[in-house]
């Protein structure tokens, strides 16, 4: 299995992506996070599934994009966050180790 390598973007880029019309999924992670590392072998498949639905995927780094995390009340990582028309709709992950099956089901429902 290959670990997903999340890209680090400045806040302006992440904000521009999540504020677009339609649905976007943001993956909030950090390199140092053990629970993030545990889910990373599956993240590439999640990204593919999101993009196949025609949705935008954006990576966000908990440290680099701390203001975005604060703005949306995202306290735990890893997290997968659904935005629609610039508004946070729902998310999965609050700092606990995520079950890959639960994330797959969450992605299927977005």
């Amino acid at each position: 299995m290959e670990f997903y390598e999340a890209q680090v973007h400045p806040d302006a880029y992440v904000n521009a992506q999540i504020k677009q019309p339609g649905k976007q999924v943001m993956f909030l992670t950090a390199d140092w996070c053990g629970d993030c590392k545990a889910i990373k072998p599956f993240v590439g498949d999640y990204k593919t599934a999101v993009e196949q639905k025609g949705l935008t995927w954006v990576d966000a780094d908990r440290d680099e994009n701390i203001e975005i995390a604060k703005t949306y009340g995202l306290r735990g990582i890893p997290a997968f966050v659904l935005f629609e028309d610039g508004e946070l709709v729902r998310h999965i992950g609050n700092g606990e180790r995520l079950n890959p099956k639960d994330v797959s089901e969450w992605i299927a429902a977005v």
Side-chain angles (χ1 to χ4, degrees), residues 22-102:
K23 292 181 179 179
Q24 298 78 36
V25 173
M26 181 178 76
F27 174 48
L28 183 62
T29 187
D31 285 341
W32 51 263
C33 169
D35 290 336
C36 299
K37 290 176 185 174
I39 199 77
K40 282 186 177 179
F42 307 95
V43 175
D45 292 337
Y46 303 149
K47 180 180 180 182
T48 298
V50 164
E51 291 175 339
Q52 286 177 342
K53 291 177 162 220
L55 282 64
T56 300
W57 175 277
V58 63
D59 294 325
D61 182 89
R62 175 68 171 81
D63 297 327
E64 183 68 29
N65 307 119
I66 189 72
E67 291 306 316
I68 292 170
K70 286 180 184 178
T71 296
Y72 293 102
L74 301 168
R75 302 192 193 284
I77 52 175
F80 296 86
V81 187
L82 175 64
F83 291 89
E84 187 167 5
D85 299 327
E87 299 293 324
L88 188 148
V89 176
R90 61 190 169 107
H91 75 283
I92 186 172
N94 262 336
E96 74 276 6
R97 183 158 291 184
L98 293 173
N99 178 314
K101 181 179 179 253
D102 292 342

